[in-house]
């Protein structure tokens, strides 16, 4: 049975069920497996949901019985509209696209969230408790979480978004969900204000206990685990050439899942970490140093991030599983806004990793080129990935994780191709549906009161 340990080495080891519900470790670290499963024996000729249950089984064994886990996977991936859940298509220049965006909210976050919602409900049911999930969103995460947790028996979910500062598609994907356990709050402030309110709620121990606060942000181990599956899936279906996987990256959760798949034997030669102008990770993989700058808006907003929280899991590995060394490095990074890896570790860190930065004009250019060559419409995040992958030699099988459906970012797509991509059929009346949300001032006490009153059992 796999147990989980904190990257900062000062928290107790936990079972899968505890890690699922805990998220961040009490010492500020992230949970990682203490021992790694053997090479996966999962059969890629099976339907995706069954393949997924096989790949993830070693991580959950002991916390759930295998029949129930299999049913949860079938149910979670039954919400995807593509028959094979995650299709792999090929562009004219032989780059393979792993299409992760056929879930309910059109971004790859559904792959993990659909599973997480069901696992939470199961685990809470076993324990006979309820939680209130609270989160802040600037877009994709909030809608994926709401779709995953709507109508669950043991969970209420409250999502804060900045009032009049998200795109209309993104807002409507959250506010048109009509479920008794879903609460949308439009905060009169910025995304950072929303995040500060959420942090303050978690820091208020009495409030946290009264409402049973829980989080489902990208550091949750179970989200990484669910994403490991499609790396095995795509690599198993690929050619015999060495595989170069490019991942459009923000918080480093998606690409770290690829790293886990590689440790479990997925035939992947290298990872290309693709960033927009917020290129702190490009700097890291090219030089071994990171300096925090201001977040700059780009055409790929879900990657407008300076501090990639999941990078800590890779740092733990690079630093030889030394939790104290990770804690020291992270604390230096916080205080100095800058950190460098020890020189002798840099070559080891760079083995199998590349960092590439792609500007907004290049994003538009590649979207246009791919549309003309292949007739394929890319969303701006995927376009960042394709632009980076094109810089790699075609002696490798180049593969790009396609993280969003183009209809989710219609303005950038129209700018590049002249066409406004239509929403897929399951969302085509999104603009006619009724919206449900409450506008509140950027004030902690008011928002806490709202959460407490709304979620009374
Ligand atoms: C969240 C997101 C990303 C970044 O993923 P990470 O796991 O944070 O690196 C990339 N593209 C889209 C469309 C996203 O929603």
């Amino acid at each position: 049975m796999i147990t989980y340990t904190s990257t900062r080495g000062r928290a107790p080891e936990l079972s899968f069920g505890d890690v699922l519900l805990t998220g961040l470790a009490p010492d500020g670290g992230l949970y990682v497996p203490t021992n790694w499963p053997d090479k996966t024996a999962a059969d890629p000729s099976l339907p995706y949901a069954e393949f997924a249950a096989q790949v993830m089984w070693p991580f959950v064994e002991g916390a759930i019985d295998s029949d129930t886990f299999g049913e949860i996977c079938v149910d979670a991936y039954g919400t995807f509209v593509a028959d094979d859940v995650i299709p792999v298509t090929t562009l004219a220049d032989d780059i393979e696209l792993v299409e992760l965006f056929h879930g309910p909210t059109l971004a790859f976050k559904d792959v993990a969230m659909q599973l997480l919602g069901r696992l939470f409900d199961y685990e809470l049911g076993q324990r006979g408790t309820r939680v209130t999930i609270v989160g802040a969103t600037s877009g994709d995460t909030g809608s994926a979480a709401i779709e995953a947790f709507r109508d669950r028996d043991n969970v209420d979910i409250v999502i804060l978004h900045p009032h009049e500062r998200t795109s209309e598609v993104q807002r409507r994907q959250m506010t048109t969900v009509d479920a008794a356990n879903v609460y949308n709050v439009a905060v009169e402030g910025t995304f950072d204000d929303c995040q500060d309110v959420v942090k303050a709620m978690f820091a208020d121990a009495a409030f946290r206990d009264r409402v049973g606060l829980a989080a489902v942000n990208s550091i949750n181990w179970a989200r990484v685990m669910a994403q490991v599956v499609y790396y095995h899936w795509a690599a198993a279906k690929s050619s015999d050439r060495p595989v170069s996987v490019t991942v459009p990256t923000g918080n480093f959760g998606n690409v770290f899942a690829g790293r886990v798949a590689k440790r479990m034997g997925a035939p992947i030669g290298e990872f290309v970490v693709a960033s927009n102008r917020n290129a702190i990770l490009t700097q890291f993989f090219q030089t071994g140093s990171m300096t925090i700058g201001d977040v700059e808006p780009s055409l790929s907003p879900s990657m407008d991030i300076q501090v990639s929280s999941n990078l800590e899991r890779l740092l733990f590995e690079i630093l030889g599983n030394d939790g104290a060394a990770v804690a020291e490095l992270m604390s230096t990074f916080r205080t100095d806004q800058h950190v460098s890896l020890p020189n002798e570790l840099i070559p080891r860190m760079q083995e199998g990793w590349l960092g590439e930065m792609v500007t907004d004009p290049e994003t538009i250019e590649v979207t246009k080129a791919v549309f003309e060559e292949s007739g394929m419409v890319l969303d701006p995040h995927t376009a960042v990935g394709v632009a980076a992958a094109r810089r790699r030699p075609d002696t490798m099988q180049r593969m790009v994780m396609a993280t969003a459906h183009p209809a989710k970012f219609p303005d950038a797509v129209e700018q590049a191709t002249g066409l406004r991509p239509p929403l897929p059929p399951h969302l085509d009346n999104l603009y006619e549906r009724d919206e449900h949300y409450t506008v509140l001032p950027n004030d902690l006490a008011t928002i806490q009161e709202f959460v407490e009153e709304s979620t009374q059992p």
Side-chain angles (χ1 to χ4, degrees):
M1 193 179 101
I2 291 178
T3 56
Y4 296 85
T5 187
S6 164
T7 50
R8 300 201 187 168
R10 300 188 59 182
E13 280 183 21
L14 296 184
S15 66
F16 177 78
D18 290 329
V19 163
L20 172 74
L21 301 180
T22 306
L24 196 70
D27 62 359
L30 278 62
Y31 285 105
V32 286
T34 36
N35 48 313
W36 290 83
D38 299 330
K39 194 171 159 52
T40 185
D43 175 4
S45 68
L46 289 172
Y48 186 84
E50 287 168 52
F51 179 77
Q54 289 187 349
V55 171
M56 290 185 281
W57 178 247
F59 294 111
V60 302
E61 193 175 359
I64 185 168
D65 70 90
S66 69
D67 288 349
T68 309
F69 186 59
E71 283 160 23
I72 284 177
C73 291
V74 168
D75 197 40
Y77 296 117
T79 64
F80 280 58
V81 295
D83 287 340
D84 38 3
V85 182
I86 294 177
V88 181
T89 51
T90 310
L91 300 179
D93 57 3
D94 197 36
I95 288 177
E96 289 183 332
L97 283 187
V98 185
E99 298 187 2
L100 306 174
F101 52 74
H102 297 286
T105 71
L106 311 180
F108 88 97
K109 294 186 173 69
D110 288 328
V111 180
M113 283 291 191
Q114 285 296 317
L115 187 79
L116 208 69
R118 289 160 174 85
L119 286 174
F120 253 72
D121 221 26
Y122 171 81
E123 184 66 27
L124 292 167
Q126 294 295 104
R127 297 177 186 214
T129 49
R130 285 184 75 74
V131 294
T132 302
I133 288 173
V134 175
T137 191
S138 58
D140 295 343
T141 309
S143 56
I146 286 172
E147 276 298 337
F149 285 92
R150 63 180 295 170
D151 302 318
R152 302 264 157 248
D153 293 335
N154 305 313
V155 179
D156 289 304
I157 178 163
V158 183
I159 296 292
L160 315 186
H161 70 263
H163 188 40
E164 288 171 350
R165 287 174 201 248
T166 59
S167 80
E168 187 172 6
V169 181
Q170 288 176 325
R171 187 191 71 238
R172 284 185 163 273
Q173 282 189 313
M174 296 189 282
T175 59
T176 60
V177 172
D178 190 9
N181 69 334
V182 171
Y183 304 91
N184 279 288
V185 176
V187 177
E188 290 170 324
T190 63
F191 171 58
D192 286 339
D193 294 331
C194 296
Q195 271 194 313
D196 288 345
V197 168
V198 171
K199 275 189 201 145
M201 285 198 258
F202 275 91
D204 179 343
F207 175 78
R208 194 177 65 209
D209 293 344
R210 272 203 311 278
V211 302
L213 272 196
V216 291
N217 42 28
S218 87
I219 54 104
N220 190 298
W221 167 258
R223 282 183 64 181
V224 173
M225 173 189 80
Q227 295 167 179
V228 170
V229 176
Y230 50 72
Y231 286 89
H232 286 291
W233 175 254
K237 289 179 187 314
S238 188
S239 69
D240 301 335
R241 277 178 288 164
V243 174
S244 166
V245 181
T246 301
V247 188
T249 304
N251 252 324
F252 206 76
N254 194 359
V255 66
F256 185 77
R259 167 68 196 146
V260 173
K262 186 171 172 176
R263 276 189 88 144
M264 292 168 69
I268 295 169
E270 64 176 28
F271 292 102
V272 181
V273 178
S275 303
N276 61 28
R277 61 196 296 193
N278 297 286
I280 190 169
L281 289 173
T282 313
Q283 186 199 8
F284 178 70
F285 285 105
Q286 292 183 355
T287 68
S289 298
M290 293 188 282
T291 309
I292 303 181
D294 293 329
V295 175
E296 306 271 359
S298 78
L299 290 175
S300 42
S302 302
M303 294 155 59
D304 292 346
I305 284 173
Q306 283 290 333
V307 179
S308 302
S309 34
N310 277 289
L311 185 67
E312 184 165 336
R313 290 189 160 111
L314 184 68
L315 292 173
F316 183 66
E317 226 184 281
I318 295 167
L319 294 170
N321 297 357
D322 180 346
V326 173
E328 197 188 310
L329 197 87
M330 294 313 292
S331 127
T332 308
F333 190 36
R334 281 289 164 194
T335 28
D336 300 354
Q337 308 276 293
H338 172 86
V339 78
S340 297
L341 277 184
N343 272 334
E344 66 275 14
L345 294 182
I346 295 174
R348 191 205 302 176
M349 176 277 283
Q350 288 171 326
E351 230 173 73
W353 292 94
L354 290 107
E356 292 288 339
M357 192 270 278
V358 175
T359 63
D360 277 357
E362 284 173 287
T363 306
I364 292 292
E365 205 176 294
V366 81
T367 306
K368 186 169 187 288
V370 167
F371 182 58
E372 284 165 2
E373 290 162 19
S374 309
M376 187 86 170
V377 182
L378 305 179
D379 100 282
H381 305 78
T382 307
V384 166
V386 171
R390 283 185 172 217
R391 297 176 191 162
R392 301 302 301 147
D394 62 7
T395 46
M396 291 191 282
Q397 176 59 62
R398 295 165 300 171
M399 192 180 270
V400 175
M401 292 297 154
T403 52
H405 190 289
K408 202 151 185 178
F409 300 93
D411 296 335
V413 173
E414 189 172 18
Q415 196 186 332
T417 65
L419 297 174
R420 230 178 147 70
L423 285 165
H426 68 282
L427 284 170
D428 67 0
N429 64 353
L430 187 68
Y431 288 91
E432 283 99 66
R433 295 182 197 168
D434 288 338
E435 293 192 76
H436 311 271
Y437 64 97
T438 307
V439 181
L440 292 179
N442 175 23
D443 173 61
L444 179 62
T446 311
I447 297 171
Q448 281 183 317
E449 200 177 311
F450 174 85
V451 172
E452 215 160 342
E453 281 173 4
S454 313
T455 60
Q456 286 300 318

